[in-house]
Amino acid sequence: MISSLSFSQNPYDLWLQYDNIEEQHILETYKNQVSNIYLSLNSATGTVIKEEIQKAFKGLLGIEPKFDSKTPNIIISTLDKLDPSLQKKLPEISKMNDEAYVIQYISDSKDAQIIISAITEKGLLYGVFNFIKQMQLRNDLSKLSISDSPKIQKRLLNHWDNLDRSVERGYAGFSIWDWYLLPELIKQEYIDYARANASIGINGTVLTNVNSNALVLSPRYIQKLKALADVFRPYGIQVYLTARFSAPIETGDLETADPLNAEVKQWWKNKADEIYAAIPDFGGFLVKANSEGQPGPNNYGRSHVDGANMLAEAVAPHNGIIMWRAFVYSEEKPEDRAKQAYSEFKPFDGKFKDNVLVQVKNGAIDFQPREPFHPLFGAMPNTPLMMEFQITQEYLGGMSHLVFLPQLFEEVLEEDTYTQGKGSTVAKIIDGQLSNKKLTGMAGVANIGTAKNWTGHPFGQANWYGFGRLAWDPETSAKTIAQDWLKMTFTNDSDFVDPMTRLLLESREAVVNYMTPLGLHHIMAANHHQGPGPWVKDMPRPDWTSVYYHKAAADGIGFDRTSSGSNALEQYAPEIQKKYSDPATTPDKYLLWFHHLPWDYKMKSGKTLWYEIAAHYQKGVEQVEGMQKTWQKMQKYVNPQVFEKTNMLLNIQLKEAKQWRNACLLYFQQFSKMDFPDFIPEMTKDLNYYKSLKLPYAPGISPSWN
Amino acid sequence: MISSLSFSQNPYDLWLQYDNIEEQHILETYKNQVSNIYLSLNSATGTVIKEEIQKAFKGLLGIEPKFDSKTPNIIISTLDKLDPSLQKKLPEISKMNDEAYVIQYISDSKDAQIIISAITEKGLLYGVFNFIKQMQLRNDLSKLSISDSPKIQKRLLNHWDNLDRSVERGYAGFSIWDWYLLPELIKQEYIDYARANASIGINGTVLTNVNSNALVLSPRYIQKLKALADVFRPYGIQVYLTARFSAPIETGDLETADPLNAEVKQWWKNKADEIYAAIPDFGGFLVKANSEGQPGPNNYGRSHVDGANMLAEAVAPHNGIIMWRAFVYSEEKPEDRAKQAYSEFKPFDGKFKDNVLVQVKNGAIDFQPREPFHPLFGAMPNTPLMMEFQITQEYLGGMSHLVFLPQLFEEVLEEDTYTQGKGSTVAKIIDGQLSNKKLTGMAGVANIGTAKNWTGHPFGQANWYGFGRLAWDPETSAKTIAQDWLKMTFTNDSDFVDPMTRLLLESREAVVNYMTPLGLHHIMAANHHQGPGPWVKDMPRPDWTSVYYHKAAADGIGFDRTSSGSNALEQYAPEIQKKYSDPATTPDKYLLWFHHLPWDYKMKSGKTLWYEIAAHYQKGVEQVEGMQKTWQKMQKYVNPQVFEKTNMLLNIQLKEAKQWRNACLLYFQQFSKMDFPDFIPEMTKDLNYYKSLKLPYAPGISPSWN
């Protein structure tokens, strides 16, 4: 009953918790090391840096930092304004990119100094956030010698936010963009959003849903957008919009949106000019075209290349980019949906303009708990591919399941595509290493909303944080991310950090186990996607059903994607084809993604497939129980409200994990006709019970779907 | 850029700000007076009381209160457990109602004591909140001798919240009821909502929209409702629902909802039994029937009495009540909409069952900036009438206008109906004084949402607070409410409180002036109701247009409701009829409500009507400018974020006040053909500009209206 605001560890502050350092010796050491600051900047970004330092020092150290230049022990300066004698003492920075920074402790003078420097002010901001993080992590400042730069250029959140403030697949309340009161009302949340993103290196945000609305391109909304851009600019964050391909028609200006039509081209050029006049650093457009009912160039017999390049020309004079989504699958095509994006886009390799990124989801279906990497990665060497991850948990339990997604992201990024020989990981394709790409990017579909802690689930914050870290460096380990986030958000106590790191890293396998083990996929309930729905079959399209994907029948279960089936496997490199074409050499985790196997198929474990399916579902449930046990021991480290809320959410997760297990096993048993192994608890409800569960007004879907 | 959470005056904590008392002598005195507490309760309410005291003492006094019974200087006990010798020293309480309490400082013993006592634990809770308030107000505790009880029994918030979390006419984000995650997830907001309401004596809440959804009556939702009821119970708050009259049909159980049908009666009895089995103190139902498209008894040729009494019978065995709204106006009737509720309901006087309240809006149209009191008040002496005020600012600027509504509420409550002679005020009808009603009530349509400060506009909190105070005692003055709220929320410094009290008390007249002066009404934009729309005419019903109400034409402006017109005036007492039938004796504020007058009509001021209309619009704008000037001086007293946010909102208010002035004057000038007085600034935009303004996705309306 005590207000949520009277605790330290305030959930609103995310990982930027600056609670007073309790370890007295560290506190005293830090206070001696960082009392006096020289800050060379007088710009808006300089103000941001100064205020962040004030906040951090006041919180962590309990001091008001002095910004006088006489005897500074911290020097924060862009490289060009730094004394040449100091420059020499820094790690090499000149060859690094514009967003790079260095942090160097220099002890050879009588008075030791910490230098934070960068080529640009934005780099300096990143450096300062990292420096503060060093104190949050209780690291030894006298050992600081950091030279860092982002490996990916465009590090973007994608907000699937509608203008009515509903959020498609949003589970954290509603859109934080209060368009109605913009541009006049600048909410504090906008500032704190920018601050949080800058702290993890995110440098762009697409504010609107990919299922887009042309209204946002109108003059009135451009003024609103400008207000947000002005807030975000000092934090190094650019704004982007989704472009509705049919906007020229919907605004009433034209009768066609044909990308080869001269008037259409001019319309977009004019629109781009209009936006850039208000927002000189506008980032560009994200486009979902000819996908799931969205308009696009195909409506006029034109290709994705025609559409993307037309828009690319419009924004090119302003250094804007186009992110063109590859998430397409045709209503007419009978081809395995997993194959369609590759089939459609691979022939376009090398044909897009320089300022076009093709944005590809991590897997070929749709953000499932586990999918093999998308076959387009590595298949378009002459086209910059942008990774699209989903931070919001559309298929992973909405807001009520604790799932640490950096583990999922890491798994994808580490996968070897073999497209340029062994070691051609997805990460190296995305960050441009393998083909020296000029343009690189990673997008994360945001899990942010009006919830007082931003993400609804307290642990949703870790996924936002982790996405930022991986967009900065896609080879960062999930374990490092988990540890840093836990320390920054809660405490550095290893009795908390160590078991909770294990919990986080296991949480993603848990959700795979209790939802879609062994390569199963897309067997969730229809529309809202919450809870099991292996029985889903009557939908407007076959590839929106569950039966299309699991193909459970008397003869077995799984989608044959080898040469005897859809041969989606042929879209991968020969090394992978070879390995995955035989169930015996296919990793268990992808088994039923690529193979249709009999229920009594003998697994590597020696058990039957049916037994292993049951064992995985059971293990998932037990893993959630294990998470509960671990969490119970963490009470003393955590804000009591967060502790209780997480308890309640874990209870929901366990309840739903059991629903998944029971519903799926009962459903599949109709075909396997085999008994449950002994470790499966007795079912007290029948299949019809699970089928009858309805979730009206489930969050994250359009009101009209209810 | 500093997080909103690092300040005192945390907006989330509303008027329950317990910042440390800075006046050192008061602090020391209080600490001596309240260090040791005796608390007799071990119930859930006792825990609530204890925790509130801990929070308040820790905040205000910086101490952990001691709860030991040895040498208490505060005794908190129900009367029955209080030492008889102490009982004798208290003000008379036994004749007071169950929610009464006393606070008495007793100084005749060596160790002075403060006694807080009540008949019930709920009364005790109210007493404790008042005691804490005394410290917030810096009152002398040694002078405490308070004997207080609510004058109205049912003090309810009405939430127009939909199950999809949209809020009809909600301007503070979305519904705080996260139905989807109930009953498992109990959000901290639910607890703090109950706490805030209990602190001002609100004892019930209708959780769902009057435009209702039968789904909330389903077993699954009853479990969710139960979870909220369990949270609210220790705070003395009952839950209520809106009942959709056609629910027996919509659930699929029956083919009719005819209130005289035996199966229908049984259905509602069963439904009531089902709800009460889960929630023994469920409050009852609020019903909007046969109004604006809602189903009701008229669909079956039955009356409102038939409908209300049928439901009343269902809940009567459980001590439940029915609140039946009188907000009806027929699609077919050509009668002046202002007359219809009276025409329909007056004949029903005395025919409702004992547990029915007829809920009447304060005015006969619909929550306008100003309306004369509803003629039903005083017209149904044998029926308990419940007041319905609107706290959310549907017609008063949404979330962006600072309007202190207790001034509006006070004006209505003070109006003399003359129905039982002079002094028959609306307040005395509502609180039952005039007819010794057994059942009394006041409802306020809530302005609460997911906004981090609950109400969006920082000053919206004052309207929630003020409603509670007036529901407790409808004769409380708006000035007292303003002062208390300012002190509790911000500071006791008179340099802040005095000018801000004046600002609050003037703010309501300002909005009347710049929106609907001199008795004008219902001339706002259609559907979303934000901004001017005197030109609105083509709507599904004439009485949804503006032209229906202002009747501006070459011959003048205003709605003739005297005997030469609709004669709505006949619904009032003869004293009022006499006074208002002549424009010369009609108060200016109601002039055009009752009279259609020529543009050059000579006003009491000696000026023409046209001049006075212009003067009032101009004055409204200038009043907003005055509010801005006052606010500028308040910076040092206010949380910087609240200061800046209020600045931004006042800028919006001023912009929109000017839009109202310009749009209405330009529109009416078409008919008056008269020049603007000199004090009206030159118009830079024409009428078509104001007509062209569109507000897509304005908050508070159904998504389907866009």
Side-chain angles (χ1 to χ4, degrees), chain A residues 1-3 5 10 12-13 51 174 181 184 186 188-189 213 235 399 452 648 652 655 697, chain B residues 1-3 5 10 12-13 51 174 181 184 186 188-189 213 235 399 452 648 652 655 697:
Chain A
M1 139 182 9
I2 298 172
S3 150
L5 305 169
N10 192 312
Y12 179 84
D13 289 334
E51 290 182 354
F174 295 82
L181 290 167
E184 288 94 348
I186 302 299
Q188 183 65 28
E189 287 94 316
N213 184 328
Y235 296 88
M399 90 145 263
K452 290 181 176 65
M648 293 186 265
I652 297 175
K655 180 188 80 171
Y697 304 111
Chain B
M1 134 185 12
I2 299 173
S3 151
L5 305 168
N10 192 312
Y12 179 83
D13 288 334
E51 291 182 352
F174 295 82
L181 290 167
E184 289 94 347
I186 303 299
Q188 183 64 28
E189 288 93 316
N213 185 328
Y235 296 88
M399 90 144 263
K452 291 182 176 65
M648 292 186 265
I652 297 176
K655 180 189 79 171
Y697 304 111

Side-chain angles (χ1 to χ4, degrees), chain A residues 334-338 519-523 533-537 542-562 564-567 592-599 609 613 667-668 671-672:
Chain A
E335 192 182 34
D336 177 5
R337 176 171 150 189
L520 287 170
H521 52 286
H522 204 294
I523 57 172
W535 47 79
V536 171
K537 59 178 178 184
D543 53 8
W544 286 0
T545 70
S546 297
V547 296
Y548 175 90
Y549 294 99
H550 63 64
K551 301 200 188 300
D555 72 338
I557 182 171
F559 198 130
D560 182 1
R561 290 195 168 102
T562 67
S564 57
S566 78
N567 209 11
L592 301 177
W593 187 282
F594 288 108
H595 303 282
H596 186 80
L597 297 171
W599 297 102
L609 172 59
I613 289 174
Y667 174 82
F668 292 134
F671 308 100
S672 79

Side-chain angles (χ1 to χ4, degrees), chain A residues 407-427:
Chain A
Q407 205 282 338
L408 184 164
F409 304 155
E410 176 188 58
E411 179 179 275
V412 174
L413 292 163
E414 284 181 343
E415 289 270 14
D416 197 336
T417 69
Y418 295 97
T419 48
Q420 297 192 47
K422 194 161 160 41
S424 304
T425 62
V426 173

Side-chain angles (χ1 to χ4, degrees), chain B residues 425-588:
Chain B
T425 61
V426 173
K428 288 185 166 55
I429 288 159
I430 294 306
D431 71 12
Q433 282 186 54
L434 285 183
S435 43
N436 203 17
K437 292 271 168 33
K438 276 186 286 186
L439 198 54
T440 56
M442 188 185 290
V445 181
N447 64 344
I448 296 164
T450 51
K452 291 182 176 65
N453 69 350
W454 299 91
T455 57
H457 199 303
F459 284 75
Q461 297 183 354
N463 296 330
W464 177 8
Y465 177 83
F467 168 78
R469 290 290 299 273
L470 285 163
W472 182 275
D473 180 358
E475 294 183 337
T476 312
S477 82
K479 187 175 178 180
T480 299
I481 294 169
Q483 289 170 330
D484 285 357
W485 179 77
L486 288 166
K487 290 176 183 175
M488 294 167 80
T489 306
F490 297 105
T491 172
N492 284 272
D493 195 316
S494 61
D495 289 343
F496 173 81
V497 176
D498 295 348
M500 284 303 296
T501 300
R502 288 193 293 274
L503 182 153
L504 290 185
L505 293 178
E506 189 178 349
S507 65
R508 188 278 186 123
E509 203 61 38
V511 75
V512 171
N513 283 333
Y514 65 70
M515 284 186 180
T516 55
L518 297 169
L520 287 171
H521 52 287
H522 204 295
I523 58 173
M524 68 289 162
N527 298 332
H528 55 63
H529 297 170
Q530 304 305 307
W535 48 79
V536 171
K537 59 178 178 185
D538 293 318
M539 295 289 288
R541 305 171 50 141
D543 54 7
W544 285 1
T545 69
S546 297
V547 297
Y548 175 91
Y549 293 99
H550 64 63
K551 301 201 188 298
D555 73 337
I557 182 170
F559 197 129
D560 182 2
R561 291 193 169 102
T562 68
S563 57
S564 58
S566 79
N567 207 11
L569 195 50
E570 70 177 343
Q571 297 180 335
Y572 290 94
E575 291 87 340
I576 294 175
Q577 285 187 42
K578 190 177 166 210
K579 190 172 172 193
Y580 290 9
S581 62
D582 180 355
T585 53
T586 303
D588 278 0

Side-chain angles (χ1 to χ4, degrees), chain A residues 203-241:
Chain A
N203 66 2
T205 178
V206 184
L207 299 169
T208 46
N209 191 356
V210 287
N211 293 320
S212 60
N213 184 328
L215 185 66
V216 82
L217 302 172
S218 67
R220 190 159 161 270
Y221 274 81
I222 291 170
Q223 287 310 305
K224 296 169 185 283
L225 183 69
K226 171 181 162 35
L228 288 174
D230 290 344
V231 170
F232 298 162
R233 190 170 295 111
Y235 296 88
I237 293 169
Q238 289 177 281
V239 296
Y240 297 75
L241 288 179

